[in-house]
């Protein structure tokens, strides 16, 4: 389907590529993955004299088109998906945690089904920095193995994902381990001051406010990303106890960053409601307003002096901007990412020691240079490697 442009345009060729992932659901992490992939394909394509025209499979095509300026079709309408694949030069599957069954038994059949359909149409499939697993239903191994063996390029975001594919029967020499694509996401182009980036916070009750008072804005800014996980809410209660202890030990400004609305905003409100009495502590707590654009959320994270992250992409955003962080693990993918930058979780959804947390956070606020000395090199290497899948895909697309 690739076609050259008109004569006199430096022989730039065009390739249509369908992009499949968890897109259109307003999840900041997954939207950041999409935006990072689109950026990387555009920039690497321009270097190689190739113009990539993406077609995104989205649950909300109109929103995706408005947000990114790309063509989009509904991911759950078979005719639209089939038409997009037929008119394309290939399929990108990823990134994100697509091939896992922790969120239900339909996820893996859906994503492998899209991949297999592309392969039946003789379209090359490129697996872009996916996180594989957990896979608890062994019968799904053959679905994953089948599409991976037939893919033109396979990249995963950690060694554990590569090892899992290996146990399923995918040859190790077909798998490239690369960073999460969001490590390569840039900040918005316009310069923003700290006060400007933090404008429009929401109070604990959810109403938009006029922005922090000058005294609050001068406090150390601690970003907080929480998500619902345990049905009894015990994990969030432990987070509230730890943050409350921090806020009473030193004046800080806690800024909750909902990565998936409305669920994360509701979890944030729950934690704020359990912080306890902060009167007289000098500390404050607030929830950031709706941030659909991943780069705006990245900007928010960049303003933090330190961050507590439960969402994987909150931690990846912090690494992207070299913001000192503490991670709270609810899934092996948290541990795997932290390990890549020489960190361990401060706790889990089953256990979080408030005293240990306070000591760890105060250390980040008091001695950020020590944190940077220990972790910035590993972060820089990940940022440099984040574009490798795009480079590989562009090279393969040029051969079509």
């Amino acid at each position: 389907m690739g076609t050259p442009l008109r004569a006199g345009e430096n022989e730039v060729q065009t390739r249509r590529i369908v992009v499949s992932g968890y897109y259109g659901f307003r999840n900041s992490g997954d939207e950041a993955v999409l935006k990072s992939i689109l950026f990387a394909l555009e920039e690497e394509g321009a270097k190689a004299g190739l113009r990539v025209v993406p077609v995104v499979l989205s649950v909300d095509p109109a929103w995706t088109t408005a947000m990114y300026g790309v063509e989009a079709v509904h991911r759950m309408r078979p005719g639209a998906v089939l038409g997009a694949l037929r008119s394309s030069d290939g399929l990108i599957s990823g990134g994100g945690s697509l091939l896992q069954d922790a969120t239900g038994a339909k996820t893996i059949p859906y994503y492998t089904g899209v991949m297999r359909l592309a392969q039946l149409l003789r379209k090359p499939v490129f697996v872009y920095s996916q996180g594989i697993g957990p896979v608890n239903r062994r019968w799904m191994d053959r679905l994953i193995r089948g599409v991976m063996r037939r893919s033109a390029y396979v990249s995963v975001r950690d060694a554990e994902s590569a090892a899992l594919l290996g146990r399923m029967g995918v040859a190790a020499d077909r798998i490239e381990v690369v960073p999460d694509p969001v490590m390569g996401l840039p900040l918005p182009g316009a310069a923003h001051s700290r006060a400007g980036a933090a404008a429009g916070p929401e109070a604990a009750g959810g109403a938009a406010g006029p922005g922090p008072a000058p005294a609050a804005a001068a406090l150390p800014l601690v970003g907080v990303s929480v998500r619902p996980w345990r049905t009894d809410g015990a994990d969030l209660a432990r987070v509230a106890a730890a943050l409350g202890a921090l806020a009473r030990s030193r004046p800080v400004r806690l800024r909750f960053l909902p990565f998936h609305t409305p669920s994360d905003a509701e979890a944030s409100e729950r934690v704020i409601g359990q912080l306890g009495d902060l009167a007289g502590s000098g500390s404050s707590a607030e929830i950031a307003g709706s941030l659909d654009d991943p780069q705006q959320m990245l900007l928010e994270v960049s303003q933090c002096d330190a961050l507590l992250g439960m969402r994987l992409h909150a931690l990846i955003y912090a690494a992207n901007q070299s913001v000192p962080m503490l991670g709270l693990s609810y899934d092996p993918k948290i541990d795997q990412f932290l390990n890549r930058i020489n960190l361990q979780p401060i706790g889990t959804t089953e256990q979080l020691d408030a005293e240990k947390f306070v000591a760890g956070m105060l250390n980040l606020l008091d001695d950020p240079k020590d944190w940077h000395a220990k972790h910035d090199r590993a972060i820089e290497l990940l940022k440099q490697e984040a574009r490798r899948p795009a480079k590989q895909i562009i090279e393969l697309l040029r051969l079509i």
Side-chain angles (χ1 to χ4, degrees), residues 85-308:
L85 289 171
R86 274 183 172 156
S87 65
S88 77
D89 295 296
L91 168 74
I92 287 175
S93 180
S97 302
L98 305 185
L99 301 182
Q100 50 78 29
D101 62 0
T103 57
K106 297 179 180 179
T107 305
I108 290 173
Y110 171 79
Y111 289 111
T112 57
V114 173
M115 295 168 73
R116 185 67 185 126
L117 179 58
Q119 290 164 349
L120 289 171
L121 293 170
R122 300 185 181 279
K123 307 295 182 180
V125 171
F126 312 105
V127 179
Y128 201 123
S129 188
Q130 282 203 29
I132 312 297
V135 181
N136 299 304
R137 299 165 177 88
R138 293 275 62 87
W139 62 269
M140 292 191 181
D141 288 4
R142 62 181 176 82
L143 299 179
I144 298 172
R145 179 173 58 247
V147 294
M148 289 293 177
R149 284 177 170 177
R150 296 180 179 93
S151 293
Y153 171 73
V154 177
S155 61
V156 294
R157 70 184 179 198
D158 50 63
E160 292 81 1
S161 294
L164 179 54
L165 287 181
R167 292 194 294 273
M168 291 178 182
V170 182
D173 62 2
R174 300 201 71 247
I175 307 166
E176 186 170 28
V177 179
V178 298
D180 188 287
V182 179
M183 288 300 299
L185 184 67
L187 285 170
H192 289 76
S193 68
R194 178 173 183 145
E202 294 182 0
L219 296 176
L221 181 58
V222 178
V224 181
S225 162
V226 292
R227 59 158 298 162
W229 189 249
R230 286 180 57 118
T231 55
D232 64 2
D235 50 349
L236 296 182
R238 284 188 280 270
V239 169
L243 289 172
L246 171 68
R248 284 183 284 274
S249 71
R250 176 176 307 179
V252 293
R253 179 178 163 208
L254 303 175
R255 186 159 173 82
F256 288 75
L257 306 173
F259 272 69
H260 193 180
T261 53
S263 61
D264 287 12
E266 292 165 358
S268 298
E269 290 171 0
R270 184 169 182 171
V271 171
I272 289 176
Q274 296 177 333
L275 285 176
D277 185 12
L278 298 184
S281 69
S283 295
S284 66
E286 66 201 38
I287 304 176
S290 178
L291 293 164
D292 288 335
D293 187 330
Q295 287 180 291
Q296 292 300 320
M297 181 63 88
L298 182 65
L299 182 63
E300 279 277 352
V301 171
S302 76
Q303 310 306 311
C304 297
D305 295 297
L307 178 135
L308 168 65

Side-chain angles (χ1 to χ4, degrees), residues 349-399:
T349 49
E350 304 304 314
Q351 187 275 331
L352 176 61
D353 182 273
E355 217 172 281
K356 180 182 176 184
F357 168 79
V358 171
M361 185 59 74
L362 291 180
N363 186 57
L364 297 185
L365 295 175
D366 291 339
D367 194 5
K369 289 184 179 179
D370 179 66
W371 189 92
H372 289 297
K374 292 177 179 176
H375 307 292
D376 276 1
R377 177 166 173 75
I379 288 172
E380 186 56 36
L381 288 173
L382 292 184
K383 294 178 76 169
Q384 290 174 11
E385 296 170 359
R387 294 291 180 91
R388 270 172 34 211
K391 292 177 182 177
Q392 295 279 13
I393 292 167
I394 291 297
E395 286 304 309
L396 292 169
L397 286 173
R398 289 181 66 193
L399 302 176

